[in-house]
Amino acid sequence: MPGKIRTIQSVSLDVPASEQPNLHNRWHPDIPSIASVKPGETVKIECLDWTGGQIGNNDSADDVKNVDLTRIHYLTGPFDVEGSEPGDLLVVNITDVQPFEHSPWGFTGVFACENGGGFLDRHYPKACKAIWDFDGIYCSSRHIPGVRFAGLIHPGILGCAPSAELLQTWNRREGELISACAQTHPGQIVAQPPLQTNAHAGNATGELRDKIAREGARTIPGRPEHGGNCDVNVISRGSTTYLPVHVAGAKFSVGDLHFSQGDGEISFCGAIEMAGVITIKFDLIKNGMKERAISSPVFRPGDVAQQFGPSRYLTFEGFSVDESGKQHFLDATVAYRQACLRTIEYLKQFGYSGEQIYLLLSCAPIRGSIAGIVDIPNACTTLGLPMDIFEFDVSVEAERVKNRALGSCPIAE
């Protein structure tokens, strides 16, 4: 008989995240490991939501407006995997992800344009949010009524610590980008350099803590050498991810759990963010980076998926011509933004506000893709909207009902 799966690390919803030594919010090789696991072992790891509890289950968006983005993301770890060495591949088999039974809710937010913004911040500059309640595998929101769907629960972040050399590479190339864009993108934040303010270095103290705060890489972007904040919604139950190892022990960390997320997580705080527990079975492939020719994370999705037939998606196209009519050259970002905006305008017919739909597209299981990237000058992207998440017909043929009562979401002034 298999033994009981141990919880290798717990978290508290009542203690400030910055006071919990089992958490950290920077990437650095010197953050002390908090526990170790053996290859072949399955463990449970508890995680806070990515803001460390800054967002409340209420009907005000003031907490989203005033969120402190210097404090994110709070990750649980690092964990040593016994026997792992630089050049190995860490095999991360996710067997389960669940919200806490005593906290069965999550949130989706749009940050204020002046504090983080989002993909559509020029169109929706004010902070707003939606609270989602969980009922088993399903979720619904009092702020976006008329919608119910099953979540594909997954971690937004998983990765191994960088080596000292790799950390220097990250900071150098992102610093070079900031310098290069100072003239071409004046006033625009293009990368997040190391920041000592509110850096949480786990259980490091004294000079080591200060060193990590000075040098540590921000957790906001994913990076090609280790993964990190990639927000891939199919890295869910049953998935297997192969992570390059850069330091002895691997120093694996995980967090940013999502109950559900649409492709692109367009509002930046766009998944249904939650606190919960993830169950992982760890394995190792020795010298796997060289022998398997893998230098960046590779994954296989699991067998769990939301079931919508291909014909049950209403799909909108976007091209690299922006809303002002300006032509861009093969710009998939502009094209996907246009697909999002067209979907929002379409769904407004049924009684939702633009903010409600923006939140919904961030967290519902939409399918985003690049349909064409070679036909100059236009990239073509698509956004597939699963029609069956709605409690009423949203097809092109559906009768339009005026004055449908679909409530509102909190918006901060």
Side-chain angles (χ1 to χ4, degrees):
M1 295 290 291
K4 180 180 179 181
I5 297 174
R6 66 180 175 123
T7 298
I8 194 171
Q9 184 58 60
S10 299
V11 297
S12 172
L13 301 183
D14 301 317
V15 176
S18 60
E19 298 177 12
Q20 299 188 47
N22 48 285
L23 306 175
H24 64 95
N25 64 4
R26 299 292 190 270
W27 291 111
H28 195 285
D30 295 336
I31 296 175
S33 298
I34 60 173
S36 63
V37 298
K38 299 179 183 297
E41 184 178 6
T42 299
V43 296
K44 293 180 179 292
I45 302 169
E46 294 185 359
C47 303
L48 297 182
D49 80 80
W50 73 298
T51 71
Q54 295 186 59
I55 309 302
N57 186 349
N58 54 49
D59 299 321
S60 169
D62 288 346
D63 49 7
V64 175
K65 177 181 178 181
N66 299 317
V67 69
D68 188 345
L69 296 179
T70 67
R71 297 182 181 274
I72 54 98
H73 299 80
Y74 284 100
L75 308 179
T76 307
F79 299 98
D80 281 336
V81 179
E82 296 179 13
S84 57
E85 300 171 305
D88 294 343
L89 289 177
L90 181 64
V91 184
V92 180
N93 303 282
I94 298 176
T95 62
D96 200 13
V97 194
Q98 295 292 338
F100 288 125
E101 291 184 0
H102 58 283
S103 185
W105 66 278
F107 63 90
T108 304
V110 171
F111 291 140
C113 187
E114 64 273 13
N115 185 26
F119 193 52
L120 306 179
D121 54 10
R122 285 178 293 174
H123 303 269
Y124 297 97
K126 295 181 179 180
C128 59
K129 79 176 182 185
I131 298 297
W132 296 86
D133 296 307
F134 305 148
D135 178 17
I137 66 171
Y138 295 98
C139 64
S140 59
S141 173
R142 62 184 181 270
H143 297 134
I144 311 176
V147 174
R148 185 172 186 264
F149 55 89
L152 188 60
I153 310 178
H154 62 279
I157 298 179
L158 68 168
C160 299
S163 65
E165 295 77 16
L166 181 56
L167 177 62
Q168 291 178 354
T169 296
W170 291 353
N171 289 337
R172 173 189 53 76
R173 72 187 182 204
E174 290 170 23
E176 290 173 349
L177 177 66
I178 293 171
S179 297
C181 292
Q183 300 299 321
T184 59
H185 297 73
Q188 183 175 346
I189 297 174
V190 297
Q192 297 275 3
L195 179 68
Q196 294 188 57
T197 303
N198 293 320
H200 185 28
N203 58 19
T205 59
E207 293 183 3
L208 178 59
R209 178 187 59 204
D210 295 341
K211 179 177 186 288
I212 292 168
R214 288 193 308 270
E215 301 174 351
R218 301 295 301 277
T219 59
I220 292 172
R223 295 179 175 91
E225 297 88 355
H226 88 141
N229 190 26
C230 296
D231 294 315
V232 180
N233 55 20
V234 294
I235 300 181
S236 182
R237 289 173 292 173
S239 68
T240 302
T241 302
Y242 305 88
L243 295 173
V245 174
H246 298 283
V247 297
K251 288 194 169 183
F252 170 84
S253 299
V254 65
D256 188 24
L257 303 186
H258 298 167
F259 189 86
S260 177
Q261 180 207 297
D263 286 346
E265 198 186 10
I266 60 174
S267 79
F268 180 26
C269 185
I272 300 179
E273 311 286 351
M274 70 174 207
V277 56
I278 183 169
T279 308
I280 298 175
K281 179 178 181 290
F282 290 97
D283 283 303
L284 274 178
I285 299 177
K286 299 298 295 179
N287 200 31
M289 291 179 66
K290 179 179 180 180
E291 293 186 356
R292 304 297 196 273
I294 292 177
S295 58
S296 293
V298 174
F299 69 88
R300 289 189 290 115
D303 294 325
V304 177
Q306 291 125 321
Q307 299 299 313
F308 303 106
S311 66
R312 300 304 300 159
Y313 284 87
L314 187 61
T315 300
F316 297 81
E317 296 181 351
F319 299 88
S320 44
V321 178
D322 66 26
E323 58 274 15
S324 72
K326 180 181 178 180
Q327 179 73 63
H328 298 259
F329 178 67
L330 293 180
D331 194 323
T333 299
V334 170
Y336 196 56
R337 185 178 289 116
Q338 293 308 302
C340 293
L341 291 171
R342 286 171 183 150
T343 308
I344 290 173
E345 288 305 310
Y346 179 84
L347 288 176
K348 281 183 179 179
Q349 302 174 84
F350 297 92
Y352 290 112
S353 70
E355 287 81 5
Q356 286 175 303
I357 307 166
Y358 185 12
L359 290 163
L360 181 62
L361 296 184
S362 298
C363 63
I366 64 169
R367 288 182 176 176
S369 69
I370 295 176
I373 201 69
V374 296
D375 298 318
I376 60 172
N378 277 327
C380 176
T381 65
T382 62
L383 188 158
L385 176 71
M387 294 186 288
D388 293 335
I389 69 174
F390 297 92
E391 295 176 352
F392 48 86
D393 188 358
V394 296
S395 67
V396 175
E397 295 79 11
E399 179 182 355
R400 274 34 177 179
V401 176
K402 294 183 179 180
N403 303 319
R404 182 181 276 116
L406 293 175
S408 63
C409 62
I411 302 175
E413 296 298 331

